Amino acid sequence: MSFTGARRAVESFFAANWSETPVAFENVVFTPPEDGCWVKLMILNEQSEQATLGRPALRRYRGRILVYCFAPSGAGAQAATALADLAASLFDGAPIAGHVLLPPELAEDEEIDGAYRARVAIPFWRDELV
């Protein structure tokens, strides 16, 4: 599976299964909603390695799916953390084609541009025979 195909699989899964808030996707124009609750999906490709010797070679690509959860600033961390919990549950063991997902990691983050942000990171790997 190509990097483009892998991105498409993750974005399609999230778009089809997330209905809690509007979603900002990478490099797509987005205006945050008036209520201040929304999420941003990002895919970070990190490390690649050859996992086997010989031919065909198995290449392993590692990365993280990141879901940034935004809520209005000044209202405490619970709203953003609740969205992060939902995102973590959605991705925990999710059947995304070609991906092996590891358990989600959640961290309350910081205030950014008048919003409070919590982050969910879902480590993954995907293999490709070449």
Side-chain angles (χ1 to χ4, degrees):
M1 177 181 293
S2 67
F3 287 100
T4 302
R7 174 176 295 280
R8 187 177 303 117
V10 172
E11 288 178 346
S12 296
F13 171 81
F14 195 62
N17 292 285
W18 181 263
S19 60
E20 303 301 320
T21 64
V23 178
F25 292 95
E26 292 181 78
N27 201 30
V28 176
V29 175
F30 179 80
T31 302
E34 292 293 321
D35 71 1
C37 291
W38 56 284
V39 299
K40 181 174 184 176
L41 179 72
M42 298 182 70
I43 301 159
L44 178 63
N45 293 295
E46 294 175 337
Q47 177 184 341
S48 60
E49 60 198 41
Q50 187 161 324
T52 63
L53 300 174
R55 292 278 179 217
L58 178 70
R59 292 198 179 148
R60 178 157 288 166
Y61 299 95
R62 298 177 188 276
R64 290 178 181 273
I65 300 165
L66 302 172
V67 182
Y68 291 102
C69 304
F70 294 88
S73 182
Q78 283 108 2
T81 303
L83 290 173
D85 275 337
L86 291 170
S89 293
L90 178 64
F91 279 106
D92 194 13
I96 299 176
H99 291 73
V100 175
L101 305 181
L102 301 176
E105 305 163 357
L106 190 144
E108 281 80 17
D109 209 340
E110 60 186 336
E111 290 190 39
I112 296 178
D113 295 330
Y116 184 80
R117 179 178 80 175
R119 176 185 57 85
V120 178
I122 303 95
F124 71 85
W125 80 75
R126 62 182 181 83
D127 292 336
E128 180 178 348
L129 286 173
V130 292

